[in-house]
Amino acid sequence: MSKTETDNGPDQEDLGAAGSQLSTAPTEELSVAPGLGVIGWARWFWRQLTSMRVALLLLLLLSLGAIPGSLIPQTGADLNKVDDFRKAHKTLAPIYDKLGLFHVYSSVWFSAIYILLFVSLIGCIVPRTWQFVGQLRGRPPGAPRRLTRLPAYTTWRTTAEPEQVREAALALLKKRRFRAHAAGDAIAAEKGYLRELGNLAFHIALIVLLVAFASGQLYKSDGTKLVVEGDGFSNALLQYDDFKAGSLFQNDDLVPFSFDLKDFKGTYEVTGPNRGTPRTFEAKIGYSEGAYGKEKSTTIKVNQPLHIGDSKVYLVSHGYAPVITVRDGKGKIVYKDAVPLLPLDGNVTSNGVVKVLDGYRNAQGKKEQLGFQAFFVPTFDPKSGTMLSQFPALVNPLLAVNAYHGDLGGVNAGMAQSVYQLDKTRMKAFKDGKGQLLKKLLQPGDTLTLPNGAGSLTFEKDIKEWAGFEIVQEPGSGWALGGALTAIFGLAGSLFIQRRRVWVRAVRGADGVTVVEMAGLGRSESAKVPEELGDLAGILYDQAPGAPEPDDDSTDSPVVPAEGAEK
């Protein structure tokens, strides 16, 4: 073996020690067959699971698994859409049921990917964190014997004393926020620890996001409530019109609060091609937190919800609620209330029903129930030839009603039914003088008189508006937001901050002149390390200026001057 080959071995080990621990990333080992036995297989499986490539693969699978959850109707979101999908796709529906595609986020396969990713991230983070803490507690490694072999290198000769040069270099590097210390005849310094900190923060933030997402799905609640002006809502389960929640949600988890809808205001474009387009929707409410909280006032707008604890109150819909008064044949008021009607189009053409359940007696004194079908347009235009609203605001309101009497379908027996639909199975229609279905168009203040002294219905001039609210409670939303922001900043730090090391050696040469060597090493090839080294060398050169070069007949070989260090 030649002398050159013999020298290269220690040099390579020296350079390897200089570049060691520049990253806490585990080294990727080639997959080998594990030894026989349960322990060997368990160790092999753990190494594969906690490798970075498996973590990335699981993250990709999790993203792909969420796609059907966005494209296919989910039972937890809208059961009616799932039923419609099953009716429309007789072949696909049984396959989707077996694969759990109607409840993706609670399916076995999605949960398995989720848990494996969680374990993989923890298995990656724990050893890297421990290693990073050890690096922070330690010191940068000493200078290699041959600094000339490092990618960034410069040197010069100076008349300053070696100790003076090293002291100046130590002060300079610390001023530039390097972690520096004296190591023999050299100064060793390192910078860029925020890169590894950002990397670890990114991975920890992913775990926080996973935990926040899981808790949000398990403990979340989502309900809707229609509130007429002047009415209120208390955050209790029985108050909701529609409600769904996560599998671990308890009724006591609801944030205690209540609010009253004081006024609703909507404005619209009145001219131009965007006529009728909403400009503002505002719901003025008074709310209180807790059972005995002081009432506060606020305004809820579209995409500007009210935040109360973990709950958010969104304004999601709007409509009209005409005030209807129903009297019996003796003129006694048996019903008077604002009746919310559901919009059918963008101009708020609406329909609904009025149900008189108790207190009504017909002309013969017999107890009966009344039902009225109502069709409402806030802006009626006789020239249009249709019973459709021409503008969403109250410009020329008109109410069309027809009437029925009899049994509303077992309401008194406790059978639930929609307040927006009329079951006419046990009802009889009121007839006009021609034997046709009794119906009439009413303007505010008009009255529909029922035949044979059966009573009347009055469309009052007071027309109220209603607002639809969605109350969402997501306990992990704050953690998810914090995790997302941490992941962004951590990823930015790991991408744009470079971890690098600098060594400054100052020794006295054979001719008595001090030789200064500076070298730098980064985790990856980058122009930043040579540039930074040149800047540091220029500053240090000013404090330890160069000495005249030795004569050509000198016994010592000349030293190469530093690049960019000449004055």
Side-chain angles (χ1 to χ4, degrees):
M1 182 179 293
S2 65
K3 185 177 185 300
T4 304
E5 291 175 342
T6 305
D7 291 342
N8 285 344
D11 285 344
Q12 291 295 339
E13 294 178 2
D14 198 24
L15 290 176
S20 65
Q21 296 184 346
L22 268 176
S23 170
T24 58
T27 56
E28 295 287 345
E29 299 178 356
L30 295 176
S31 299
V32 294
L36 297 177
V38 177
I39 297 178
W41 278 104
R43 185 178 299 169
W44 177 84
F45 177 77
W46 176 254
R47 287 178 179 175
Q48 299 303 313
L49 181 60
T50 56
S51 65
M52 188 58 63
R53 59 175 176 267
V54 172
L56 293 175
L57 178 61
L58 291 172
L59 189 60
L60 175 63
L61 290 177
L62 192 70
S63 302
L64 294 177
I67 294 177
S70 302
L71 300 179
I72 300 173
Q74 301 293 294
T75 55
D78 196 331
L79 189 58
N80 293 328
K81 287 186 178 180
V82 175
D83 293 336
D84 294 340
F85 187 92
R86 286 195 172 101
K87 294 176 183 178
H89 303 84
K90 300 293 185 181
T91 304
L92 282 177
I95 299 175
Y96 284 4
D97 278 323
K98 292 181 179 179
L99 296 177
L101 296 183
F102 289 124
H103 50 91
V104 169
Y105 303 114
S106 60
S107 62
V108 175
W109 58 269
F110 190 86
S111 300
I113 298 173
Y114 197 90
I115 294 173
L116 286 175
L117 177 59
F118 190 82
V119 174
S120 178
L121 287 173
I122 293 179
C124 290
I125 289 172
V126 172
R128 294 184 68 170
T129 303
W130 183 256
Q131 183 180 353
F132 181 63
V133 171
Q135 293 179 16
L136 290 178
R137 296 176 62 183
R139 289 184 171 186
R145 289 186 302 169
R146 294 189 180 183
L147 293 177
T148 55
R149 304 195 63 177
L150 295 179
Y153 174 79
T154 185
T155 181
W156 71 91
R157 293 156 48 88
T158 180
T159 55
E161 294 296 325
E163 294 79 5
Q164 179 184 354
V165 175
R166 288 195 291 268
E167 290 178 2
L170 182 61
L172 172 62
L173 291 170
K174 287 186 175 181
K175 184 178 180 181
R176 292 297 185 93
R177 296 189 299 275
F178 278 83
R179 293 180 64 223
H181 71 102
D185 59 359
I187 301 298
E190 187 170 2
K191 190 177 183 181
Y193 285 88
L194 287 179
R195 177 188 181 94
E196 293 302 323
L197 183 61
N199 199 352
L200 292 173
F202 171 74
H203 288 85
I204 294 174
L206 289 182
I207 294 180
V208 173
L209 283 173
L210 291 176
V211 174
F213 177 78
S215 64
Q217 292 297 315
L218 294 174
Y219 294 96
K220 73 174 183 179
S221 66
D222 189 347
T224 57
K225 177 63 178 179
L226 186 152
V227 183
V228 180
E229 289 176 326
D231 292 343
F233 167 79
S234 179
N235 195 23
L237 193 60
L238 296 177
Q239 289 277 307
Y240 284 93
D241 297 330
D242 179 51
F243 186 84
K244 53 182 178 289
S247 56
L248 298 182
F249 175 84
Q250 302 293 330
N251 294 345
D252 294 338
D253 295 335
L254 287 173
V255 177
F257 69 89
S258 61
F259 66 84
D260 296 322
L261 178 59
K262 303 297 184 180
D263 181 54
F264 181 89
K265 180 181 180 182
T267 60
Y268 310 88
E269 293 286 347
V270 296
T271 58
N274 295 324
R275 183 178 184 272
T277 303
R279 297 181 60 187
T280 58
F281 279 163
E282 298 179 353
K284 295 181 179 180
I285 67 169
Y287 72 97
S288 60
E289 302 180 35
Y292 306 101
K294 183 179 180 181
E295 182 172 312
K296 306 174 186 177
S297 298
T298 189
T299 299
I300 302 178
K301 301 179 182 179
V302 177
N303 296 326
Q304 296 182 19
L306 169 65
H307 296 257
I308 303 177
D310 289 333
S311 292
K312 297 179 182 178
V313 182
Y314 292 89
L315 176 62
V316 295
S317 58
H318 153 257
Y320 293 101
V323 178
I324 304 297
T325 302
V326 179
R327 295 178 173 85
D328 61 13
K330 297 180 179 180
K332 176 185 176 182
I333 296 178
V334 294
Y335 179 92
K336 185 174 183 179
D337 202 358
V339 182
L341 304 179
L342 300 182
L344 301 175
D345 57 26
N347 287 326
V348 204
T349 301
S350 310
N351 69 348
V353 298
V354 181
K355 297 181 180 181
V356 181
L357 304 177
D358 300 308
Y360 173 77
R361 294 179 181 271
N362 59 19
Q364 290 76 33
K366 182 181 178 181
K367 288 185 177 181
E368 274 191 325
Q369 294 176 332
L370 299 178
F372 301 88
Q373 288 183 323
F375 195 83
F376 176 77
V377 290
T379 300
F380 175 69
D381 185 4
K383 298 180 181 179
S384 65
T386 60
M387 187 62 180
L388 294 175
S389 178
Q390 303 301 309
F391 193 72
L394 290 172
V395 177
N396 184 25
L398 192 68
L399 180 69
V401 294
N402 49 43
Y404 298 85
H405 63 100
D407 184 1
L408 286 172
V411 176
N412 291 336
M415 297 178 59
Q417 61 177 236
S418 173
V419 296
Y420 303 106
Q421 295 179 351
L422 185 64
D423 183 3
K424 295 179 286 187
T425 306
R426 300 179 181 87
M427 303 289 288
K428 294 182 180 180
F430 283 102
K431 305 292 183 178
D432 59 14
K434 299 180 180 180
Q436 302 295 323
L437 175 66
L438 179 66
K439 53 185 177 181
K440 187 176 181 181
L441 299 178
L442 304 176
Q443 292 181 334
D446 290 348
T447 298
L448 167 66
T449 301
L450 301 178
N452 302 321
S456 64
L457 178 146
T458 302
F459 175 25
E460 303 291 347
K461 293 183 179 181
D462 182 19
I463 301 176
K464 295 185 177 181
E465 298 186 60
W466 60 261
F469 297 94
E470 181 177 9
I471 297 92
V472 180
Q473 187 167 321
E474 295 176 329
S477 59
W479 285 98
L481 177 60
L485 294 176
T486 303
I488 293 173
F489 286 110
L491 182 61
S494 64
L495 291 177
F496 297 109
I497 298 175
Q498 184 179 17
R499 191 164 171 191
R500 61 270 191 201
R501 288 172 180 164
V502 172
W503 293 274
V504 181
R505 174 175 287 144
V507 295
R508 193 180 302 278
D511 57 355
V513 180
T514 301
V515 178
V516 182
E517 291 182 287
M518 295 186 67
L521 177 65
R523 181 181 172 185
S524 58
E525 293 294 334
S526 172
K528 184 174 183 178
V529 174
E531 290 176 359
E532 188 173 32
L533 185 67
D535 182 37
L536 292 171
I539 298 174
L540 188 59
Y541 186 89
D542 291 337
Q543 301 180 33
E549 292 297 324
D551 297 334
D552 293 339
D553 57 354
S554 173
T555 56
D556 294 334
S557 59
V559 179
V560 180
E563 290 186 17
E566 295 85 2
K567 298 295 286 183

